[in-house]
Amino acid sequence: MSEKPTGSAYFLEERKDAPERHTLSILVDNEPGVLSRIAGLLSGRGYNIDSLTVSETEHEKHLSRFTIVTTGTPMVLEQVKNQLERMVPVHRVVDLTVVGEPLERELALVKVAGTGEKRIEALRLAEIFRASVIDASTSHFVFEITGRSSKIEQFIAIMRDLGLVEISRTGIAAMARGGQGM
Amino acid sequence: MARTMTGAEMVIKALTDQGVEVLFGYPGGAVLPIYDEIYQQEKVRHILVRQEGGAVHAAEGYARSTGKVGVVLVTSGPGATNAVTGLTDALMDSIPVVCLTGQVPTHLIGNDAFQECDTVGITRPCTKHNWLVKNVDDLARVLHEAFYIAKSGRPGPVVVDIPKDIQFATGTYVGPGDIQIAHKSYRPKLKADQPVLQRAVDAMASAKRPLFYTGGGVINSGPKASQLLRELVRLTGFPITSTLMGLGAYPASDKQWLGMLGMHGTYEANMAMHGCDVMINIGARFDDRITGRIDAFSPGSTKIHVDIDPSSINKNVKVDMPVVGDATYVLEDMLRLWKARGTGPDKAAHKAWWKQIDQWRARDCLAYKSSGEVIMPQYALQRLHELTKNKDVYITTEVGQHQMWAAQFLKFEEPNRWMTSGGLGTMGYGLPAAIGTQLAHPKSLVIDVAGDASILMNIQEMSTAVQYRLPVKIFILNNQYMGMVRQWQQLLHGNRYSESYTESLPDFVKLAEAYGAIGMKCDKPADLDDAIKDMIDAKGPVIFDCRVASLANCFPMIPSGKAHNEMLLGDAVSEAEIEKAIGTEGKVLV
């Protein structure tokens, strides 16, 4: 196989710029189909979605806020922002990673089953991680844990050996530090 | 003023309030209430096409030749899916189109009802925006918003999907009002920031080898943008080239005009693009047909990019000075700033630059081997140009070799005279687009420069042309091949003409006559002028079957993946050179 040509419009992803991971906040009109509009734009243009969360944030104004974590070269990330910004129902797009180290939180529900020593160990570790028990029987716990993604990853990794059954995660909610809104 | 009426009445009322005079459409079950309203009024003229795809292209031709919004009405299901190609075409070329689609009644949506499809889902990626109206009281507002979105900022197609029960329901109509100011989220930026404009003009003033590179954005901005562009280009004395979509914004007869650039652009335009030190891009988007190999594209230039769409900036090519704004406003500002400068440009450097350009021009890159036996396609277009250039003429094209030859050999002096499918490259665009153009300009000469393969893609629209007595002239460069496909097969696939020869072409003369139009045929260079004159003088629609050399290639050509200074020129090309020019890596590109 000959090597792929570089420098053609068809192989832009071959650029040597290192990919970066950015968190975007997007304020949109909460109208039917807006989620598929946003998700469709990203998938249609081949952008990555590492995490996507959305919920209505201002009920009277019918505004929803997306938090999207995406990975790409600086040029691609600029495109993601510009492409989102020109959509009709989009009010604002802010690249929180450019603004500064954003506040990012995620919630996870973690189900762990087991008895004896492992069960006690799971509960003890949950306390250390400030996870709370929201459901339990003599043979299982469901923990609710909130925090940065890295903390949740770590908690899940530990639970893997202690009878982890399943996980449900919300994806990241984020905002910029300081007193100003987006 | 608010009034109570049915949804179907609202549609007509909204169209008339928006100043719509012509509507291209095709009826069906889910739009019958609207057609019933059309029957009972005379303000909006409905043009019945023969397939919904033709309706959208006709609306595109109407829109491009007038600067107005093109309007389409189709039914649900297949009506909507047939419109998808046209919508995508309009999206790629930034043409304002409002497409109204019928939908099954709201209570049946999602039930796989007869002629149901997820129209908003299917058209979401091929429209600027779309709406499904589920409440009759929203209908008037959505329709007005649709027109605003279609024509403002970077124009584009929009779809309003209207379920049948909404068409029957009674609600409150509201007028267009001042949606421009009122729109809650979509307010494109028209005036550019002054500091970046000042920096751009400073760069222009200090340029030694400047070049204007303009695109469809100038034409979309309106006739004033073309006027301002002419003024700025003449004032600066800079050379100017343009994309396929931008032809006509600057007069082709002017000495500062270098011709079109890109894959089939002129040698002088592409070499100037390669060698310039300051590039002023106004309303073009660095399409891959223009840039060729990206990392070798205009390598030494400071790039100024004026675009109304921020997402066009830094998409393919990283630019130095992004100017976000409407071409008219930006050109106005540039002119003002240029005039305000005390110092003039570097005259000696410009003289040397023009001298270099004149050397490239002397290469005469569009030269071809003429023949007394067969009509060369280039010759046919040269004659067509000579015989129509003093007339009020509009040109549309299909897609392929003939389209590129038309761009090379027909010289456009005014904007909005050239309708072609640039971004999507839709075969079958030209005839319906000519119909839309002719409707907008009933007294003008409208010519569809076509190929024998492309014309068959929407040939059914002949019936439309005949019904509405639209005297469009279809000038077919008939080489019996899908010429561009064949050319690529010759250059890239060892002369293996896989499925690119059309075995059983119709007799185009009889075909025209079958539709009730005039059929003409010409196969001798000596007869061509008289035949073209007859075509022009004919009162009705004409299909002109111009039999041309079957194996002619369209040159110059920048092979895919190559740089602008690596063009193939027609007279110098041997098979060995072609093999050398197009490496294995170029073959994987389109």
Side-chain angles (χ1 to χ4, degrees):
Chain A
M1 261 309 278
S2 62
E3 271 181 47
K4 274 186 182 174
T6 54
S8 152
Y10 298 89
F11 297 97
L12 278 181
E13 63 277 16
E14 306 268 319
R15 291 175 73 91
K16 288 184 191 81
D17 302 339
E20 297 170 13
R21 196 176 150 102
H22 282 221
T23 306
L24 310 179
S25 257
I26 305 150
L27 203 61
V28 303
D29 282 325
N30 183 19
E31 58 182 33
V34 71
L35 170 60
S36 82
R37 248 178 238 289
I38 301 275
L41 174 102
L42 293 164
S43 69
R45 290 186 181 267
Y47 306 140
N48 297 308
I49 304 176
D50 295 341
S51 162
L52 185 153
T53 62
V54 56
S55 190
E56 190 169 70
T57 49
E58 290 175 62
H59 184 66
E60 307 78 40
K61 291 187 195 164
H62 291 287
L63 290 176
S64 285
R65 182 158 164 161
F66 281 74
T67 305
I68 294 178
V69 182
T70 179
T71 309
T73 62
M75 209 160 155
V76 168
L77 290 168
E78 189 188 338
Q79 268 298 300
V80 173
K81 182 169 181 283
N82 286 337
Q83 292 287 354
L84 287 167
E85 224 154 28
R86 75 172 180 155
M87 299 183 84
V88 171
V90 170
H91 288 255
R92 277 204 78 188
V93 182
V94 176
D95 187 333
L96 296 173
T97 310
V98 169
V99 174
E101 183 82 358
L103 298 164
E104 297 183 349
R105 289 295 179 271
E106 195 181 353
L107 184 145
L109 303 179
V110 180
K111 188 179 284 179
V112 178
T115 50
E117 202 48 43
K118 284 196 171 174
R119 178 175 160 81
I120 294 163
E121 185 63 8
L123 191 61
R124 206 176 61 79
L125 280 158
E127 272 168 29
I128 296 168
F129 276 83
R130 296 175 201 276
S132 49
V133 176
I134 56 171
D135 183 47
S137 71
T138 52
S139 58
H140 89 282
F141 290 117
V142 175
F143 298 115
E144 174 195 316
I145 180 169
T146 319
R148 285 191 297 188
S149 296
S150 56
K151 173 185 163 184
I152 292 171
E153 300 281 354
Q154 199 187 355
F155 183 68
I156 290 166
I158 292 170
M159 288 302 143
R160 226 170 272 287
D161 290 335
L162 300 174
L164 180 71
V165 177
E166 62 174 352
I167 311 150
S168 175
R169 295 171 70 160
T170 57
I172 287 165
M175 60 171 63
R177 290 168 194 273
Q180 301 239 296
M182 79 176 278
Chain B
M1 200 187 72
R3 277 214 295 133
T4 303
M5 60 179 83
T6 68
E9 285 175 306
M10 280 185 201
V11 170
I12 302 303
K13 177 83 175 111
L15 294 184
T16 50
D17 281 356
Q18 289 289 342
V20 175
E21 290 159 359
V22 183
L23 174 62
F24 301 92
Y26 203 102
V31 280
L32 285 177
I34 299 174
Y35 272 89
D36 200 37
E37 290 304 322
I38 288 172
Y39 189 82
Q40 299 174 54
Q41 56 84 47
E42 280 176 352
K43 283 183 182 152
V44 184
R45 185 177 180 203
H46 180 273
I47 303 299
L48 175 67
V49 296
R50 297 306 187 262
Q51 205 254 20
E52 290 87 349
V56 189
H57 294 320
E60 286 185 273
Y62 181 88
R64 291 210 68 193
S65 66
T66 58
K68 297 178 190 168
V69 178
V71 188
V72 175
L73 173 61
V74 297
T75 193
S76 63
T81 54
N82 277 344
V84 164
T85 301
L87 293 169
T88 313
D89 192 275
L91 185 72
M92 293 286 271
D93 286 345
S94 308
I95 312 297
V97 169
V98 171
C99 177
L100 311 176
T101 56
Q103 182 57 278
V104 300
T106 40
H107 70 274
L108 285 178
I109 291 178
N111 278 23
D112 298 329
F114 176 65
Q115 291 196 330
E116 183 192 354
C117 74
D118 176 9
T119 302
V120 286
I122 289 169
T123 60
R124 196 172 286 135
C126 63
T127 53
K128 189 171 168 185
H129 197 60
N130 60 15
W131 297 261
L132 168 63
V133 181
K134 291 177 104 168
N135 181 343
V136 70
D137 288 322
D138 293 335
L139 181 58
R141 178 187 55 77
V142 167
L143 288 168
H144 297 308
E145 191 181 345
F147 277 87
Y148 165 68
I149 299 289
K151 68 186 175 194
S152 54
R154 179 179 177 175
V158 298
V159 163
V160 183
D161 199 23
I162 313 170
K164 196 170 181 181
D165 56 329
I166 303 297
Q167 298 169 31
F168 278 122
T170 303
T172 309
Y173 178 82
V174 291
D178 211 344
I179 197 164
Q180 190 117 13
I181 299 157
H183 200 277
K184 52 195 173 180
S185 56
Y186 188 74
R187 287 183 296 265
K189 188 175 155 189
L190 301 177
K191 292 216 61 156
D193 298 331
Q194 292 303 305
V196 68
L197 268 170
Q198 184 63 57
R199 282 205 300 133
V201 172
D202 289 347
M204 283 161 65
S206 59
K208 296 194 184 322
R209 300 184 309 281
L211 179 67
F212 278 102
Y213 151 44
T214 63
V218 178
I219 292 172
N220 279 338
S221 180
K224 194 177 171 199
S226 294
Q227 284 312 318
L228 293 164
L229 176 73
R230 288 160 192 225
E231 203 183 322
L232 182 66
V233 172
R234 284 181 186 139
L235 202 60
T236 57
F238 295 177
I240 174 169
T241 179
S242 130
T243 65
L244 182 73
M245 301 307 291
L247 296 178
Y250 194 82
S253 58
D254 191 89
K255 60 184 192 318
Q256 281 168 259
W257 171 250
L258 304 188
M260 181 177 78
L261 85 162
M263 184 174 265
H264 294 289
T266 65
Y267 185 67
E268 50 270 32
N270 285 333
M271 291 303 281
M273 183 54 103
H274 193 77
C276 67
D277 71 342
V278 173
M279 173 209 299
I280 309 112
N281 170 347
I282 304 176
R285 59 184 175 88
F286 295 106
D287 181 83
D288 56 71
R289 294 298 96 158
I290 296 302
T291 62
R293 185 181 167 127
I294 286 267
D295 60 359
F297 171 69
S298 193
S301 61
T302 299
K303 297 174 182 71
I304 300 163
H305 185 185
V306 180
D307 206 301
I308 198 165
D309 179 3
S311 75
S312 281
I313 288 169
N314 291 339
K315 183 172 66 182
N316 302 331
V317 170
K318 193 92 184 152
V319 298
D320 303 281
M321 294 170 202
V323 182
V324 178
D326 182 88
T328 305
Y329 290 104
V330 172
L331 283 162
E332 244 168 19
D333 284 343
M334 280 184 163
L335 263 171
R336 183 172 45 76
L337 293 171
W338 181 269
K339 285 176 182 163
R341 287 189 63 86
T343 55
D346 186 340
K347 289 232 165 60
H350 283 204
K351 210 174 156 195
W353 178 227
W354 272 110
K355 198 175 157 207
Q356 170 69 75
I357 288 170
D358 286 338
Q359 282 170 8
W360 289 326
R361 268 183 177 159
R363 186 69 185 72
D364 192 15
C365 66
L366 296 180
Y368 59 91
K369 217 172 271 170
S370 56
S371 161
E373 302 297 309
V374 291
I375 301 174
M376 294 304 288
Q378 297 95 327
Y379 176 76
L381 288 169
Q382 275 178 325
R383 294 320 303 160
L384 184 70
H385 178 65
E386 284 304 314
L387 296 168
T388 57
K389 66 181 180 188
N390 295 321
K391 297 189 184 299
D392 172 21
V393 62
Y394 291 81
I395 303 286
T396 71
T397 75
E398 311 287 335
V399 169
Q401 281 184 323
H402 67 272
Q403 176 192 30
M404 293 297 108
W405 280 317
Q408 291 172 341
F409 289 92
L410 304 178
K411 310 292 179 196
F412 296 94
E413 300 293 313
E414 297 294 330
N416 304 98
R417 297 276 170 166
W418 165 244
M419 276 58 65
T420 194
S421 171
L424 193 64
T426 311
M427 292 169 74
Y429 168 90
L431 173 53
I435 287 171
T437 304
Q438 187 81 75
L439 269 160
H441 310 277
K443 300 241 184 306
S444 307
L445 175 62
V446 180
I447 304 173
D448 170 25
V449 176
D452 52 273
S454 280
I455 191 62
L456 291 180
M457 285 220 179
N458 269 324
I459 191 70
Q460 77 285 347
E461 299 307 328
M462 272 310 289
S463 185
T464 311
V466 171
Q467 176 180 345
Y468 296 97
R469 298 191 176 81
L470 302 170
V472 295
K473 316 298 183 211
I474 302 164
F475 190 71
I476 304 176
L477 297 179
N478 183 353
N479 59 8
Q480 300 180 63
Y481 279 100
M482 294 159 211
M484 194 59 94
V485 172
R486 188 206 55 74
Q487 176 170 344
W488 280 56
Q489 288 173 335
Q490 182 190 349
L491 300 184
L492 298 165
H493 296 277
N495 286 312
R496 290 181 296 279
Y497 297 158
S498 177
E499 305 294 326
S500 55
Y501 179 72
T502 313
E503 189 79 36
S504 303
L505 280 174
D507 178 330
F508 284 110
V509 174
K510 284 187 185 157
L511 185 63
E513 286 163 359
Y515 278 112
I518 301 159
M520 295 170 67
K521 184 178 157 184
C522 182
D523 53 12
K524 300 233 162 28
D527 301 340
L528 188 58
D529 274 27
D530 286 341
I532 291 176
K533 282 181 203 153
D534 286 348
M535 174 185 87
I536 295 167
D537 293 341
K539 295 279 172 268
V542 176
I543 298 182
F544 188 113
D545 183 6
C546 184
R547 296 298 183 93
V548 298
S550 60
L551 299 175
N553 280 333
C554 184
F555 288 117
M557 176 180 183
I558 305 176
S560 295
K562 292 285 178 182
H564 281 181
N565 57 351
E566 300 174 285
M567 332 183 58
L568 291 173
L569 287 152
D571 46 1
V573 175
S574 67
E575 281 201 16
E577 262 181 274
I578 289 169
E579 193 53 41
K580 202 172 68 190
I582 303 170
T584 42
E585 58 188 42
K587 290 187 184 177
V588 300
L589 307 177
V590 289

